[in-house]
Amino acid sequence: MVNVHPDAWVSPHAILTGEVTVGAGSRVLDLAVIHAVHGPVVIGRDVVVMEHAVLRGRVQHPLVIGDSVMVGPQTHLNGTHVEDEVFIATGASMFPGSHAGAGSELRINSVLHVNSRLAPGTVVPIGWIAAGDPAELFSPDRHDDLWAVQKRLDFPGTAYGVDRDTPMREIMRRQSQLYAPKGR
């Protein structure tokens, strides 16, 4: 059930499906996709969701966005929690179980990894990755250091509900079933 506050506006060219709540004064622009079929998406007050953003709720990880948040174009927010006054720039990605503290910034093409917690006021630089709880910041050239933290965050278990050694064929069979049209 989509619930849009009377003081909010959703473009007729955006797609909202499932259990979506949009707070007062918020705006959802053209071609944004808010998919809450497999878990709720709750958007607070005075939030702007820009063009081509994809927001997805999950059963174990609802997507919750606080008040006064900018969700930039071509962002991907999946089962994350965003506190108030967070700036999420173009192309940023936030993964299931992650949490962005109040007043933090995720700059262009940055990533907040699964089960990672970004402290309030933290800035993730352009193209960098934040991982861990509390999150450490990694430049893209520090893959080995990132992997040492990232491996413990359990991406396969959090995102797909499987062990790390599960074959891709099995993961995708499960994903295909999850996204199959009802009754098929």
Side-chain angles (χ1 to χ4, degrees), residues 126-162:
I126 293 172
W128 283 43
I129 302 102
D133 186 1
E136 296 178 53
L137 302 180
F138 297 90
S139 60
D141 63 332
R142 292 183 53 211
H143 181 267
D144 292 340
D145 297 332
L146 171 61
W147 180 243
V149 172
Q150 181 183 348
K151 187 174 184 179
R152 295 187 307 263
L153 299 175
D154 189 26
F155 183 89
T158 302
Y160 304 118
V162 299

Side-chain angles (χ1 to χ4, degrees), residues 71-158:
V71 179
Q74 300 175 355
T75 56
H76 177 242
L77 278 60
N78 186 346
T80 187
H81 185 113
V82 180
E83 291 185 6
D84 297 346
E85 300 180 30
V86 173
F87 180 85
I88 306 166
T90 301
S93 296
M94 300 173 70
F95 288 98
S98 65
H99 189 111
S104 58
E105 293 183 34
L106 287 95
R107 297 205 171 148
I108 297 169
N109 294 328
S110 62
V111 174
L112 181 57
H113 219 291
V114 297
N115 302 319
S116 296
R117 180 171 295 272
L118 196 60
T122 301
V123 174
V124 183
I126 293 172
W128 283 43
I129 302 102
D133 186 1
E136 296 178 53
L137 302 180
F138 297 90
S139 60
D141 63 332
R142 292 183 53 211
H143 181 267
D144 292 340
D145 297 332
L146 171 61
W147 180 243
V149 172
Q150 181 183 348
K151 187 174 184 179
R152 295 187 307 263
L153 299 175
D154 189 26
F155 183 89
T158 302

